[in-house]
Amino acid sequence: DTGVSQNPRHKITKRGQNVTFRCDPISEHNRLYWYRQTLGQGPEFLTYFQNEAQLEKSRLLSDRFSAERPKGSFSTLEIQRTEQGDSAMYLCASSLNSGQETQYFGPGTRLLVL
Amino acid sequence: DQQVKQNSPSLSVQEGRISILNCDYTNSMFDYFLWYKKYPAEGPTFLISISSIKDKNEDGRFTVFLNKSAKHLSLHIVPSQPGDSAVYFCAASRKAAGNKLTFGGGTRVLVKP
């Protein structure tokens, strides 16, 4: 399967702990996006990369959040000192930077902070 | 401020009939529009898209219509099938803004056999 993959699929953690999620995009895609979706809402943009460069971060992304894409392939999203309000589905998408792009999503990582 | 809105949270339709989903946007700079389908506990699946230079795009049972003057787009599914039961999201993007997607709140579609 050559789609976008995300790990883990589910994560339960206690408030104050750090968590890290991984996204592996479609192999030839040079753009990678992170979104967050809470219950009953549409996904909201967090940040995106073109190759290894992080080009934009949403104001939703507090200082406790950091994302990397060190070699322009997979990406990690880390949340430090998790809070209950961080509970959400974290979605990764990738696209080919070819003008108007279709983004293809992974299955998501569902985070529950107790 | 919500730049993309789906005003109908749910829709129920009989199998074989047409499903029409609506979406409104406020930012006239959006230049690409997409529809995604989402099942519970899965990521969104791309369905169909349309560029702002077009007013219609078809792919099999799915057709998207864009009315730029009204800042409105719609998705028609015909004929509707039970497997189409899911949440549908419209999304919009701007090439100049990195093509990041702005989503509506979703419409839950139930197709009754």
Side-chain angles (χ1 to χ4, degrees):
Chain A
D1 179 72
T2 57
V4 179
S5 62
Q6 292 186 248
N7 288 289
R9 293 291 308 275
H10 304 275
K11 179 71 178 179
I12 300 174
T13 191
K14 292 183 180 177
R15 190 175 52 186
Q17 297 295 303
N18 298 345
V19 294
T20 300
F21 309 141
R22 176 177 169 130
C23 171
D24 288 88
I26 294 171
S27 58
E28 64 269 25
H29 285 185
N30 50 14
R31 282 198 171 174
L32 186 149
Y33 300 78
W34 285 98
Y35 296 85
R36 180 172 68 188
Q37 184 179 20
T38 53
L39 204 59
Q41 306 292 321
E44 294 177 294
F45 168 77
L46 293 178
T47 188
Y48 87 99
F49 294 83
Q50 180 159 314
N51 299 312
E52 65 276 9
Q54 187 173 20
L55 296 187
E56 186 175 345
K57 293 194 288 187
S58 162
R59 54 198 157 98
L60 290 177
L61 215 63
S62 78
D63 291 345
R64 297 183 297 104
F65 288 71
S66 62
E68 293 183 341
R69 194 182 183 198
K71 296 183 180 178
S73 56
F74 73 91
S75 175
T76 57
L77 178 68
E78 181 183 17
I79 309 174
Q80 296 183 325
R81 306 181 303 282
T82 52
E83 300 173 356
Q84 288 183 326
D86 296 332
S87 297
M89 172 80 91
Y90 290 84
L91 294 162
C92 174
S94 71
S95 69
L96 194 59
N97 181 19
S98 59
Q100 287 179 322
E101 312 158 3
T102 296
Q103 294 179 28
Y104 296 90
F105 283 81
T109 294
R110 181 166 294 284
L111 173 66
L112 178 61
V113 181
L114 301 176
Chain B
D1 100 48
Q2 214 175 345
Q3 296 189 67
V4 179
K5 281 187 181 179
Q6 294 175 254
N7 290 317
S8 298
S10 64
L11 172 70
S12 183
V13 65
Q14 206 66 35
E15 181 180 4
R17 305 295 291 268
I18 185 170
S19 294
I20 300 177
L21 291 81
N22 294 303
C23 180
D24 297 295
Y25 62 95
T26 56
N27 188 345
S28 58
M29 302 299 290
F30 286 137
D31 51 27
Y32 193 51
F33 302 89
L34 308 92
W35 284 94
Y36 287 87
K37 173 180 174 180
K38 190 177 185 300
Y39 293 116
E42 294 184 12
T45 301
F46 170 71
L47 279 177
I48 192 168
S49 62
I50 188 166
S51 163
S52 61
I53 62 173
K54 296 186 175 180
D55 55 20
K56 180 181 174 181
N57 188 28
E58 278 183 82
D59 184 0
R61 296 186 298 117
F62 303 95
T63 303
V64 57
F65 296 92
L66 175 63
N67 182 334
K68 281 199 301 182
S69 61
K71 295 191 181 71
H72 178 84
L73 67 154
S74 62
L75 174 68
H76 291 204
I77 307 172
V78 57
S80 300
Q81 299 173 353
D84 295 332
S85 297
V87 178
Y88 290 76
F89 291 97
C90 70
S93 66
R94 286 178 56 204
K95 183 180 175 182
N99 286 310
K100 60 181 184 284
L101 296 174
T102 301
F103 283 85
T107 297
R108 181 176 301 278
V109 172
L110 175 63
V111 180
K112 298 178 179 177

PDB file of all heavy atoms in Angstrom, chain B residues 16-40:
ATOM      1  N   GLY B  16     -30.724   5.167  -4.358  1.00  0.00           N
ATOM      2  CA  GLY B  16     -31.103   5.360  -5.751  1.00  0.00           C
ATOM      3  C   GLY B  16     -31.458   6.794  -6.098  1.00  0.00           C
ATOM      4  O   GLY B  16     -31.452   7.165  -7.277  1.00  0.00           O
ATOM      5  N   ARG B  17     -31.758   7.609  -5.049  1.00  0.00           N
ATOM      6  CA  ARG B  17     -32.108   8.997  -5.311  1.00  0.00           C
ATOM      7  C   ARG B  17     -30.849   9.862  -5.309  1.00  0.00           C
ATOM      8  O   ARG B  17     -29.749   9.396  -5.046  1.00  0.00           O
ATOM      9  CB  ARG B  17     -33.101   9.494  -4.249  1.00  0.00           C
ATOM     10  CG  ARG B  17     -34.353   8.635  -4.121  1.00  0.00           C
ATOM     11  CD  ARG B  17     -35.204   8.669  -5.364  1.00  0.00           C
ATOM     12  NE  ARG B  17     -35.829   9.962  -5.594  1.00  0.00           N
ATOM     13  CZ  ARG B  17     -37.028  10.285  -5.150  1.00  0.00           C
ATOM     14  NH1 ARG B  17     -37.743   9.443  -4.418  1.00  0.00           N
ATOM     15  NH2 ARG B  17     -37.538  11.472  -5.437  1.00  0.00           N
ATOM     16  N   ILE B  18     -31.021  11.159  -5.574  1.00  0.00           N
ATOM     17  CA  ILE B  18     -29.890  12.078  -5.609  1.00  0.00           C
ATOM     18  C   ILE B  18     -29.623  12.661  -4.215  1.00  0.00           C
ATOM     19  O   ILE B  18     -30.562  12.990  -3.479  1.00  0.00           O
ATOM     20  CB  ILE B  18     -30.144  13.212  -6.628  1.00  0.00           C
ATOM     21  CG1 ILE B  18     -28.913  14.100  -6.772  1.00  0.00           C
ATOM     22  CG2 ILE B  18     -31.377  14.012  -6.250  1.00  0.00           C
ATOM     23  CD1 ILE B  18     -29.008  15.099  -7.927  1.00  0.00           C
ATOM     24  N   SER B  19     -28.353  12.745  -3.860  1.00  0.00           N
ATOM     25  CA  SER B  19     -27.943  13.471  -2.654  1.00  0.00           C
ATOM     26  C   SER B  19     -27.326  14.781  -3.108  1.00  0.00           C
ATOM     27  O   SER B  19     -26.472  14.783  -4.008  1.00  0.00           O
ATOM     28  CB  SER B  19     -26.890  12.692  -1.866  1.00  0.00           C
ATOM     29  OG  SER B  19     -27.394  11.499  -1.339  1.00  0.00           O
ATOM     30  N   ILE B  20     -27.740  15.878  -2.495  1.00  0.00           N
ATOM     31  CA  ILE B  20     -27.173  17.190  -2.820  1.00  0.00           C
ATOM     32  C   ILE B  20     -26.632  17.805  -1.543  1.00  0.00           C
ATOM     33  O   ILE B  20     -27.369  18.032  -0.584  1.00  0.00           O
ATOM     34  CB  ILE B  20     -28.218  18.128  -3.462  1.00  0.00           C
ATOM     35  CG1 ILE B  20     -28.750  17.513  -4.747  1.00  0.00           C
ATOM     36  CG2 ILE B  20     -27.592  19.508  -3.730  1.00  0.00           C
ATOM     37  CD1 ILE B  20     -29.846  18.316  -5.420  1.00  0.00           C
ATOM     38  N   LEU B  21     -25.332  18.047  -1.539  1.00  0.00           N
ATOM     39  CA  LEU B  21     -24.671  18.640  -0.382  1.00  0.00           C
ATOM     40  C   LEU B  21     -24.196  20.035  -0.765  1.00  0.00           C
ATOM     41  O   LEU B  21     -23.663  20.239  -1.854  1.00  0.00           O
ATOM     42  CB  LEU B  21     -23.470  17.798   0.060  1.00  0.00           C
ATOM     43  CG  LEU B  21     -23.784  16.436   0.681  1.00  0.00           C
ATOM     44  CD1 LEU B  21     -24.071  15.390  -0.372  1.00  0.00           C
ATOM     45  CD2 LEU B  21     -22.626  15.981   1.554  1.00  0.00           C
ATOM     46  N   ASN B  22     -24.382  20.959   0.138  1.00  0.00           N
ATOM     47  CA  ASN B  22     -24.069  22.358  -0.149  1.00  0.00           C
ATOM     48  C   ASN B  22     -22.960  22.900   0.732  1.00  0.00           C
ATOM     49  O   ASN B  22     -22.766  22.441   1.870  1.00  0.00           O
ATOM     50  CB  ASN B  22     -25.326  23.212   0.036  1.00  0.00           C
ATOM     51  CG  ASN B  22     -26.381  22.884  -0.980  1.00  0.00           C
ATOM     52  OD1 ASN B  22     -26.143  22.968  -2.175  1.00  0.00           O
ATOM     53  ND2 ASN B  22     -27.557  22.505  -0.499  1.00  0.00           N
ATOM     54  N   CYS B  23     -22.265  23.907   0.193  1.00  0.00           N
ATOM     55  CA  CYS B  23     -21.141  24.501   0.899  1.00  0.00           C
ATOM     56  C   CYS B  23     -21.032  25.962   0.477  1.00  0.00           C
ATOM     57  O   CYS B  23     -21.145  26.267  -0.712  1.00  0.00           O
ATOM     58  CB  CYS B  23     -19.871  23.725   0.534  1.00  0.00           C
ATOM     59  SG  CYS B  23     -18.358  24.310   1.293  1.00  0.00           S
ATOM     60  N   ASP B  24     -20.843  26.848   1.422  1.00  0.00           N
ATOM     61  CA  ASP B  24     -20.666  28.271   1.140  1.00  0.00           C
ATOM     62  C   ASP B  24     -19.321  28.727   1.666  1.00  0.00           C
ATOM     63  O   ASP B  24     -18.840  28.228   2.693  1.00  0.00           O
ATOM     64  CB  ASP B  24     -21.778  29.088   1.813  1.00  0.00           C
ATOM     65  CG  ASP B  24     -23.136  28.748   1.269  1.00  0.00           C
ATOM     66  OD1 ASP B  24     -23.376  29.003   0.082  1.00  0.00           O
ATOM     67  OD2 ASP B  24     -23.956  28.205   2.036  1.00  0.00           O
ATOM     68  N   TYR B  25     -18.730  29.689   0.986  1.00  0.00           N
ATOM     69  CA  TYR B  25     -17.447  30.218   1.437  1.00  0.00           C
ATOM     70  C   TYR B  25     -17.471  31.731   1.357  1.00  0.00           C
ATOM     71  O   TYR B  25     -18.287  32.324   0.652  1.00  0.00           O
ATOM     72  CB  TYR B  25     -16.285  29.628   0.628  1.00  0.00           C
ATOM     73  CG  TYR B  25     -16.302  29.936  -0.850  1.00  0.00           C
ATOM     74  CD1 TYR B  25     -15.586  31.008  -1.375  1.00  0.00           C
ATOM     75  CD2 TYR B  25     -17.038  29.137  -1.737  1.00  0.00           C
ATOM     76  CE1 TYR B  25     -15.588  31.289  -2.731  1.00  0.00           C
ATOM     77  CE2 TYR B  25     -17.055  29.415  -3.092  1.00  0.00           C
ATOM     78  CZ  TYR B  25     -16.326  30.487  -3.586  1.00  0.00           C
ATOM     79  OH  TYR B  25     -16.343  30.763  -4.921  1.00  0.00           O
ATOM     80  N   THR B  26     -16.570  32.351   2.111  1.00  0.00           N
ATOM     81  CA  THR B  26     -16.555  33.815   2.158  1.00  0.00           C
ATOM     82  C   THR B  26     -15.312  34.417   1.494  1.00  0.00           C
ATOM     83  O   THR B  26     -15.346  35.565   1.074  1.00  0.00           O
ATOM     84  CB  THR B  26     -16.622  34.306   3.614  1.00  0.00           C
ATOM     85  OG1 THR B  26     -15.536  33.733   4.363  1.00  0.00           O
ATOM     86  CG2 THR B  26     -17.943  33.897   4.264  1.00  0.00           C
ATOM     87  N   ASN B  27     -14.241  33.652   1.386  1.00  0.00           N
ATOM     88  CA  ASN B  27     -12.983  34.189   0.876  1.00  0.00           C
ATOM     89  C   ASN B  27     -12.924  34.035  -0.646  1.00  0.00           C
ATOM     90  O   ASN B  27     -12.756  32.937  -1.161  1.00  0.00           O
ATOM     91  CB  ASN B  27     -11.816  33.455   1.536  1.00  0.00           C
ATOM     92  CG  ASN B  27     -10.469  34.080   1.198  1.00  0.00           C
ATOM     93  OD1 ASN B  27     -10.351  34.879   0.269  1.00  0.00           O
ATOM     94  ND2 ASN B  27      -9.458  33.723   1.968  1.00  0.00           N
ATOM     95  N   SER B  28     -13.036  35.132  -1.360  1.00  0.00           N
ATOM     96  CA  SER B  28     -13.044  35.067  -2.823  1.00  0.00           C
ATOM     97  C   SER B  28     -11.671  34.729  -3.402  1.00  0.00           C
ATOM     98  O   SER B  28     -11.544  34.512  -4.608  1.00  0.00           O
ATOM     99  CB  SER B  28     -13.528  36.397  -3.395  1.00  0.00           C
ATOM    100  OG  SER B  28     -12.689  37.445  -2.948  1.00  0.00           O
ATOM    101  N   MET B  29     -10.646  34.655  -2.553  1.00  0.00           N
ATOM    102  CA  MET B  29      -9.306  34.312  -3.028  1.00  0.00           C
ATOM    103  C   MET B  29      -9.103  32.805  -3.150  1.00  0.00           C
ATOM    104  O   MET B  29      -8.099  32.354  -3.708  1.00  0.00           O
ATOM    105  CB  MET B  29      -8.247  34.887  -2.080  1.00  0.00           C
ATOM    106  CG  MET B  29      -8.329  36.391  -1.918  1.00  0.00           C
ATOM    107  SD  MET B  29      -8.089  37.256  -3.477  1.00  0.00           S
ATOM    108  CE  MET B  29      -6.346  36.933  -3.748  1.00  0.00           C
ATOM    109  N   PHE B  30     -10.015  32.008  -2.600  1.00  0.00           N
ATOM    110  CA  PHE B  30      -9.886  30.559  -2.759  1.00  0.00           C
ATOM    111  C   PHE B  30      -9.894  30.233  -4.253  1.00  0.00           C
ATOM    112  O   PHE B  30     -10.702  30.782  -5.020  1.00  0.00           O
ATOM    113  CB  PHE B  30     -11.034  29.827  -2.067  1.00  0.00           C
ATOM    114  CG  PHE B  30     -10.949  29.802  -0.572  1.00  0.00           C
ATOM    115  CD1 PHE B  30     -12.090  30.041   0.187  1.00  0.00           C
ATOM    116  CD2 PHE B  30      -9.773  29.514   0.098  1.00  0.00           C
ATOM    117  CE1 PHE B  30     -12.049  30.012   1.573  1.00  0.00           C
ATOM    118  CE2 PHE B  30      -9.716  29.488   1.483  1.00  0.00           C
ATOM    119  CZ  PHE B  30     -10.856  29.733   2.223  1.00  0.00           C
ATOM    120  N   ASP B  31      -8.994  29.315  -4.669  1.00  0.00           N
ATOM    121  CA  ASP B  31      -8.940  28.990  -6.089  1.00  0.00           C
ATOM    122  C   ASP B  31      -9.072  27.504  -6.378  1.00  0.00           C
ATOM    123  O   ASP B  31      -8.967  27.071  -7.529  1.00  0.00           O
ATOM    124  CB  ASP B  31      -7.666  29.558  -6.732  1.00  0.00           C
ATOM    125  CG  ASP B  31      -6.402  29.185  -5.968  1.00  0.00           C
ATOM    126  OD1 ASP B  31      -6.401  28.134  -5.290  1.00  0.00           O
ATOM    127  OD2 ASP B  31      -5.410  29.942  -6.053  1.00  0.00           O
ATOM    128  N   TYR B  32      -9.287  26.724  -5.329  1.00  0.00           N
ATOM    129  CA  TYR B  32      -9.422  25.273  -5.534  1.00  0.00           C
ATOM    130  C   TYR B  32     -10.332  24.748  -4.440  1.00  0.00           C
ATOM    131  O   TYR B  32     -10.190  25.139  -3.272  1.00  0.00           O
ATOM    132  CB  TYR B  32      -8.033  24.624  -5.449  1.00  0.00           C
ATOM    133  CG  TYR B  32      -7.926  23.202  -5.939  1.00  0.00           C
ATOM    134  CD1 TYR B  32      -8.403  22.823  -7.194  1.00  0.00           C
ATOM    135  CD2 TYR B  32      -7.298  22.240  -5.164  1.00  0.00           C
ATOM    136  CE1 TYR B  32      -8.279  21.527  -7.646  1.00  0.00           C
ATOM    137  CE2 TYR B  32      -7.158  20.940  -5.613  1.00  0.00           C
ATOM    138  CZ  TYR B  32      -7.643  20.584  -6.852  1.00  0.00           C
ATOM    139  OH  TYR B  32      -7.513  19.297  -7.315  1.00  0.00           O
ATOM    140  N   PHE B  33     -11.257  23.876  -4.844  1.00  0.00           N
ATOM    141  CA  PHE B  33     -12.248  23.378  -3.904  1.00  0.00           C
ATOM    142  C   PHE B  33     -12.303  21.857  -3.996  1.00  0.00           C
ATOM    143  O   PHE B  33     -12.204  21.284  -5.094  1.00  0.00           O
ATOM    144  CB  PHE B  33     -13.633  23.975  -4.230  1.00  0.00           C
ATOM    145  CG  PHE B  33     -13.643  25.480  -4.205  1.00  0.00           C
ATOM    146  CD1 PHE B  33     -13.341  26.198  -5.351  1.00  0.00           C
ATOM    147  CD2 PHE B  33     -13.932  26.160  -3.036  1.00  0.00           C
ATOM    148  CE1 PHE B  33     -13.322  27.584  -5.333  1.00  0.00           C
ATOM    149  CE2 PHE B  33     -13.917  27.545  -2.998  1.00  0.00           C
ATOM    150  CZ  PHE B  33     -13.616  28.256  -4.145  1.00  0.00           C
ATOM    151  N   LEU B  34     -12.473  21.219  -2.857  1.00  0.00           N
ATOM    152  CA  LEU B  34     -12.426  19.763  -2.806  1.00  0.00           C
ATOM    153  C   LEU B  34     -13.545  19.235  -1.917  1.00  0.00           C
ATOM    154  O   LEU B  34     -13.997  19.920  -0.993  1.00  0.00           O
ATOM    155  CB  LEU B  34     -11.083  19.282  -2.224  1.00  0.00           C
ATOM    156  CG  LEU B  34      -9.802  19.834  -2.841  1.00  0.00           C
ATOM    157  CD1 LEU B  34      -9.325  21.087  -2.112  1.00  0.00           C
ATOM    158  CD2 LEU B  34      -8.699  18.783  -2.817  1.00  0.00           C
ATOM    159  N   TRP B  35     -13.956  18.015  -2.205  1.00  0.00           N
ATOM    160  CA  TRP B  35     -14.888  17.290  -1.327  1.00  0.00           C
ATOM    161  C   TRP B  35     -14.195  16.021  -0.843  1.00  0.00           C
ATOM    162  O   TRP B  35     -13.557  15.303  -1.624  1.00  0.00           O
ATOM    163  CB  TRP B  35     -16.170  16.927  -2.068  1.00  0.00           C
ATOM    164  CG  TRP B  35     -17.101  18.077  -2.270  1.00  0.00           C
ATOM    165  CD1 TRP B  35     -17.174  18.891  -3.365  1.00  0.00           C
ATOM    166  CD2 TRP B  35     -18.101  18.538  -1.354  1.00  0.00           C
ATOM    167  NE1 TRP B  35     -18.153  19.838  -3.184  1.00  0.00           N
ATOM    168  CE2 TRP B  35     -18.738  19.639  -1.968  1.00  0.00           C
ATOM    169  CE3 TRP B  35     -18.540  18.137  -0.089  1.00  0.00           C
ATOM    170  CZ2 TRP B  35     -19.786  20.343  -1.351  1.00  0.00           C
ATOM    171  CZ3 TRP B  35     -19.570  18.827   0.525  1.00  0.00           C
ATOM    172  CH2 TRP B  35     -20.185  19.909  -0.108  1.00  0.00           C
ATOM    173  N   TYR B  36     -14.352  15.783   0.458  1.00  0.00           N
ATOM    174  CA  TYR B  36     -13.814  14.587   1.074  1.00  0.00           C
ATOM    175  C   TYR B  36     -14.954  13.849   1.777  1.00  0.00           C
ATOM    176  O   TYR B  36     -15.905  14.458   2.265  1.00  0.00           O
ATOM    177  CB  TYR B  36     -12.742  14.937   2.118  1.00  0.00           C
ATOM    178  CG  TYR B  36     -11.424  15.404   1.556  1.00  0.00           C
ATOM    179  CD1 TYR B  36     -11.209  16.753   1.257  1.00  0.00           C
ATOM    180  CD2 TYR B  36     -10.382  14.513   1.332  1.00  0.00           C
ATOM    181  CE1 TYR B  36      -9.984  17.188   0.748  1.00  0.00           C
ATOM    182  CE2 TYR B  36      -9.157  14.940   0.832  1.00  0.00           C
ATOM    183  CZ  TYR B  36      -8.978  16.277   0.545  1.00  0.00           C
ATOM    184  OH  TYR B  36      -7.763  16.703   0.042  1.00  0.00           O
ATOM    185  N   LYS B  37     -14.765  12.549   1.859  1.00  0.00           N
ATOM    186  CA  LYS B  37     -15.722  11.681   2.558  1.00  0.00           C
ATOM    187  C   LYS B  37     -14.987  11.082   3.748  1.00  0.00           C
ATOM    188  O   LYS B  37     -13.806  10.729   3.634  1.00  0.00           O
ATOM    189  CB  LYS B  37     -16.143  10.585   1.586  1.00  0.00           C
ATOM    190  CG  LYS B  37     -17.005   9.476   2.119  1.00  0.00           C
ATOM    191  CD  LYS B  37     -17.282   8.519   0.951  1.00  0.00           C
ATOM    192  CE  LYS B  37     -18.009   7.299   1.372  1.00  0.00           C
ATOM    193  NZ  LYS B  37     -18.259   6.399   0.221  1.00  0.00           N
ATOM    194  N   LYS B  38     -15.661  10.976   4.876  1.00  0.00           N
ATOM    195  CA  LYS B  38     -14.978  10.461   6.059  1.00  0.00           C
ATOM    196  C   LYS B  38     -15.859   9.473   6.802  1.00  0.00           C
ATOM    197  O   LYS B  38     -17.003   9.774   7.150  1.00  0.00           O
ATOM    198  CB  LYS B  38     -14.576  11.618   6.981  1.00  0.00           C
ATOM    199  CG  LYS B  38     -13.658  11.183   8.121  1.00  0.00           C
ATOM    200  CD  LYS B  38     -13.225  12.367   8.960  1.00  0.00           C
ATOM    201  CE  LYS B  38     -12.217  11.951  10.026  1.00  0.00           C
ATOM    202  NZ  LYS B  38     -12.757  10.936  10.959  1.00  0.00           N
ATOM    203  N   TYR B  39     -15.284   8.289   7.043  1.00  0.00           N
ATOM    204  CA  TYR B  39     -15.922   7.310   7.916  1.00  0.00           C
ATOM    205  C   TYR B  39     -15.349   7.491   9.321  1.00  0.00           C
ATOM    206  O   TYR B  39     -14.231   7.994   9.487  1.00  0.00           O
ATOM    207  CB  TYR B  39     -15.633   5.893   7.438  1.00  0.00           C
ATOM    208  CG  TYR B  39     -16.257   5.544   6.110  1.00  0.00           C
ATOM    209  CD1 TYR B  39     -15.460   5.249   5.006  1.00  0.00           C
ATOM    210  CD2 TYR B  39     -17.636   5.496   5.942  1.00  0.00           C
ATOM    211  CE1 TYR B  39     -16.020   4.912   3.787  1.00  0.00           C
ATOM    212  CE2 TYR B  39     -18.208   5.171   4.722  1.00  0.00           C
ATOM    213  CZ  TYR B  39     -17.390   4.883   3.647  1.00  0.00           C
ATOM    214  OH  TYR B  39     -17.954   4.552   2.434  1.00  0.00           O
ATOM    215  N   PRO B  40     -16.086   7.064  10.350  1.00  0.00           N
ATOM    216  CA  PRO B  40     -15.580   7.175  11.721  1.00  0.00           C
ATOM    217  C   PRO B  40     -14.222   6.502  11.880  1.00  0.00           C
ATOM    218  O   PRO B  40     -13.972   5.442  11.296  1.00  0.00           O
ATOM    219  CB  PRO B  40     -16.651   6.458  12.551  1.00  0.00           C
ATOM    220  CG  PRO B  40     -17.880   6.521  11.726  1.00  0.00           C
ATOM    221  CD  PRO B  40     -17.435   6.465  10.305  1.00  0.00           C
TER     222      PRO B  40
END
